[in-house]
């Protein structure tokens, strides 16, 4: 989980630099993402807010986004009610991935109306909600949630805003050593599992990281462990808390050798020590880089799969055509017998009676002493049957020439599509795939 409570804690100081700024522009580049341009004493800053189930987050951004020609309805609502408003303060429920943006706005009559923009960055439950602060009434949401989806909590205009259910865990900021030992033993058997169930806002990434830092075996039975055994884990929890409290962050993105972004964190991760790192001056810059990289990976994967599907379909189609043309060539190569039948019928026409015969046996001059059975159309005379066989022979010759030409074309197409398929499978960047896509569409 890249955007967890630890990341948000490290990010809050950057978000608070927006306090006092006014909203000059609002855009919605995608269904679940908005970008606020904030104008303050230090110039313009852009705030990205996403409710994407896999990339939900809030941070400052310098990235460029393509916006639809027609703004979505939620974007139009935000523009109507928040453009020109001033951000008065930013608050956050402790240990939650929720941010409250308090705006001083005005209604259609020019009267003051404090509005609350609530950002809930909670995975598939993420949302961006506009609330009338005085009345605590929902005005709009980027993802309306009716009762059919959630009985506990509906998010619809006109309903009171209800916070997400509490975690019922201990807050890192106020956690004591005694509480840590007592609760840890009650909430899990394995170290990382117990940490997740005990400390609010801790993600699986950080639970596993703290265990690695402490040197504990991940198979240790917490319920029977002594305080002496658990003390290294408590020390690492305290070190994490101290680093966040002092804002001693070192925003870092961890990368695989091929450049794939693996994780982003405000503090060094021991578990990823083998990976290459890219450091950033701010948490926003690190998140911006990481999520852009993940977006490119998603686009790469989707385009690669689309191209592979298309190419495999083309290869299958060409292989079917090639099989048909091979069959046509094999059949056309039998055309010489039609010519032979016609020549035999003309040679022995004087010996044959008129129409009504279904077949005749004639001497084969190419093989002495053998007979050839020549099928006949009883409605035709022997000469007419001969002419019919010559016509079939000429048609077969033309078919053979055409089928051989088509076979060569099929083989060339098959070779081309297979080479492109290999190129798509071996591509490692989005521009490569886009170049291949352009080539296929021309």
């Amino acid at each position: 989980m890249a955007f967890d409570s630890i990341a948000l804690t490290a990010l809050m100081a950057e978000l608070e630099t927006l306090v006092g700024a006014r909203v000059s522009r609002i855009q919605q580049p995608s269904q679940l993402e908005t970008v606020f341009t904030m104008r303050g004493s230090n110039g313009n800053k852009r705030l990205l807010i996403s409710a994407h189930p896999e990339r939900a987050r809030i941070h400052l951004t310098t990235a460029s986004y393509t916006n639809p020609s027609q703004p979505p309805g939620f974007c139009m609502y935000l523009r109507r009610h928040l453009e020109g408003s001033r951000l008065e303060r930013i608050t956050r429920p402790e240990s939650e991935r929720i941010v409250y943006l308090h705006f001083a706005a005005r209604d259609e009559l020019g009267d003051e109306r404090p509005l609350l923009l609530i950002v809930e960055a909670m995975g598939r439950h993420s949302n961006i909600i506009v609330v009338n602060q005085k009345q605590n009434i929902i005005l709009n949401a980027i993802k309306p949630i009716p009762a059919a989806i959630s009985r506990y909590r509906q998010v619809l205009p006109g309903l009171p805003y209800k916070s997400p259910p509490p975690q019922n865990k201990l807050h890192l900021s106020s956690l004591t050593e005694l509480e840590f030992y007592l609760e840890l033993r009650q909430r899990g058997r394995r170290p990382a599992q117990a940490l997740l169930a005990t400390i609010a806002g801790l993600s699986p990434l950080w639970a596993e990281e703290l265990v690695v830092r402490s040197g504990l075996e991940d198979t240790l039975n917490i319920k029977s462990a002594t305080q002496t055994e658990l003390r290294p884990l408590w020390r690492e929890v305290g070190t994490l808390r101290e680093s966040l409290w002092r804002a001693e962050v070192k925003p870092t993105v961890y990368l695989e050798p091929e450049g794939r972004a693996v994780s982003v964190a405000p503090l060094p991760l021991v578990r990823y020590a083998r990976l290459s790192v890219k450091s950033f001056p701010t948490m926003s810059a690190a998140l911006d880089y990481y999520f852009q990289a993940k977006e490119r990976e998603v686009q790469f994967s989707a385009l690669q799969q689309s191209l592979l599907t298309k190419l495999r379909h083309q290869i299958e189609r060409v292989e079917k055509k090639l099989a048909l043309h091979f069959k046509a060539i094999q059949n056309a190569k039998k055309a010489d017998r039609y010519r032979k039948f016609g020549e035999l019928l003309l040679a022995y026409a004087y010996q044959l009676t008129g129409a009504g015969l279904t077949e005749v046996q004639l001497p084969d001059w190419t093989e002495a002493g053998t007979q050839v059975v020549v099928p006949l159309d009883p409605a035709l005379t022997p000469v007419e049957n001969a002419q019919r066989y010559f016509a079939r022979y000429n048609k077969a010759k033309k078919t053979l020439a055409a089928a051989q030409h088509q076979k060569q074309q099929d083989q060339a197409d098959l070779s081309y599509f297979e080479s492109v398929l290999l190129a798509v499978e071996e591509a490692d960047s989005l521009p490569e795939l886009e170049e291949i896509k352009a080539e296929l569409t021309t």
Side-chain angles (χ1 to χ4, degrees):
M1 187 183 299
F3 193 80
D4 54 17
S5 179
I6 303 300
L8 183 54
T9 299
L11 182 68
M12 286 302 292
E14 296 173 29
L15 296 180
E16 286 168 359
T17 62
L18 298 174
V19 172
R22 290 191 177 275
V23 180
S24 63
R25 190 179 185 189
I26 300 175
Q27 298 167 299
Q28 188 175 342
S30 64
Q31 183 182 3
L32 297 174
E33 289 183 336
T34 61
V35 178
F36 283 59
T37 300
M38 310 289 292
R39 176 168 296 178
S41 57
N42 294 324
N44 289 343
K45 292 183 179 180
R46 297 165 70 229
L47 178 68
L48 172 71
I49 306 174
S50 173
H52 191 283
E54 297 175 359
R55 299 186 292 277
R57 63 202 190 275
I58 175 173
H59 59 79
L60 301 178
T61 182
T62 58
S64 299
Y65 294 90
T66 302
N67 297 291
S69 56
Q70 180 62 39
F74 185 68
C75 180
M76 297 297 289
Y77 183 90
L78 293 178
R79 288 179 178 179
R80 187 162 61 250
H81 295 281
L82 285 178
E83 282 190 349
S85 65
R86 185 171 65 87
L87 180 61
E88 291 192 316
R89 66 184 189 279
I90 299 177
T91 58
R92 172 200 175 198
E94 188 173 6
S95 304
E96 298 287 356
R97 288 172 290 160
I98 301 174
V99 177
Y100 298 147
L101 302 172
H102 302 256
F103 288 97
R106 294 185 179 276
D107 59 21
E108 289 82 353
L109 300 177
D111 297 328
E112 289 187 3
R113 183 172 69 160
L115 293 180
L116 197 59
L117 187 70
I118 303 175
V119 181
E120 298 176 348
M122 305 184 303
R124 63 189 181 92
H125 301 293
S126 300
N127 214 332
I128 305 170
I129 307 168
V130 184
V131 174
N132 182 312
Q133 190 169 340
K134 288 183 178 179
Q135 300 173 354
N136 193 43
I137 297 297
I138 296 171
L139 301 175
N140 210 330
I142 202 167
K143 283 173 28 179
I145 309 296
I149 296 178
S150 173
R151 289 188 176 183
Y152 172 81
R153 179 174 178 257
Q154 290 82 57
V155 180
L156 295 171
L159 296 181
Y161 173 75
K162 185 178 182 179
S163 298
Q167 298 184 53
N168 295 321
K169 300 178 185 179
L170 302 178
H171 295 302
L172 179 63
S173 62
S174 57
L175 182 64
T176 66
E177 186 173 1
L178 180 59
E179 285 177 326
F180 177 75
Y181 295 138
L182 291 175
E183 293 293 332
L184 202 65
R185 292 193 182 97
Q186 295 178 16
R187 302 200 185 204
R189 295 182 63 86
R190 297 290 175 253
Q193 175 197 18
L195 280 173
L196 276 174
T198 301
I199 302 177
L202 207 62
S203 65
L205 171 70
W206 276 103
E208 294 168 8
E209 172 66 17
L210 291 173
V211 173
V212 171
R213 290 185 181 189
S214 69
L216 292 184
E217 294 292 333
D218 57 8
T219 57
L220 176 69
N221 188 340
I222 293 294
K223 293 185 179 295
S224 60
T226 65
Q227 286 193 14
T228 301
E229 289 176 302
L230 295 177
R231 188 163 288 116
L233 188 57
W234 165 251
R235 282 199 296 267
E236 293 303 330
V237 170
T239 300
L240 173 63
R241 177 169 60 185
E242 186 75 7
S243 296
L244 293 173
W245 184 76
R246 293 180 178 275
E248 296 172 344
V249 296
K250 297 178 180 178
T252 304
V253 173
Y254 292 85
L255 305 165
E256 290 281 11
E258 67 273 14
R260 184 179 68 86
V262 175
S263 187
V264 57
L267 298 166
L269 297 173
V270 174
R271 61 181 300 191
Y272 290 141
R274 65 178 181 83
L275 300 179
S276 59
V277 300
K278 190 173 181 63
S279 301
F280 294 86
T282 65
M283 195 63 205
S284 286
L287 289 167
D288 219 10
Y289 179 91
Y290 173 81
F291 281 106
Q292 284 185 68
K294 300 308 286 185
E295 178 64 25
R296 286 193 296 271
E297 288 174 18
V298 170
Q299 292 175 359
F300 175 88
S301 179
L303 181 54
Q304 185 180 51
Q305 190 56 49
S306 173
L307 290 173
L308 289 174
T309 300
K310 181 178 180 180
L311 286 165
R312 285 168 183 152
H313 173 74
Q314 291 284 10
I315 288 172
E316 182 181 359
R317 183 181 65 84
V318 172
E319 285 176 338
K320 288 180 179 179
K321 286 174 56 182
L322 187 59
L324 290 174
H325 291 136
F326 266 119
K327 185 177 180 180
I329 290 170
Q330 294 303 315
N331 290 335
K333 284 182 177 179
K334 300 175 183 178
D336 284 342
R337 66 175 182 165
Y338 298 144
R339 184 187 63 180
K340 187 174 187 178
F341 288 166
E343 289 175 345
L344 286 172
L345 286 172
L346 289 179
Y348 293 100
Y350 67 95
Q351 298 180 5
L352 303 175
T353 60
L357 297 176
T358 58
E359 65 178 35
V360 293
Q361 286 191 357
L362 300 173
D364 186 356
W365 56 61
T366 60
E367 296 183 31
T370 62
Q371 296 284 315
V372 176
V373 176
V374 180
L376 298 175
D377 184 343
L380 303 176
T381 66
V383 173
E384 289 173 335
N385 270 289
Q387 292 172 343
R388 182 168 174 265
Y389 275 122
F390 285 131
R392 291 174 68 181
Y393 167 71
N394 290 327
K395 180 180 179 182
K397 283 200 304 181
K398 293 178 181 178
T399 300
L400 177 62
Q404 288 175 332
H405 175 75
Q406 288 295 330
K407 184 194 76 170
Q408 292 175 350
Q409 184 62 50
D410 292 341
Q411 290 172 329
D413 289 345
L414 187 60
S415 177
Y416 169 73
F417 287 130
E418 286 177 341
S419 68
V420 176
L421 181 72
L422 181 62
V424 171
E425 290 175 337
E426 295 182 346
D428 55 13
S429 70
L430 191 58
E432 283 183 76
L433 292 182
E434 288 173 341
E435 184 177 341
I436 293 172
K437 180 183 177 182
E439 179 182 326
L440 290 173
T441 54
T442 55

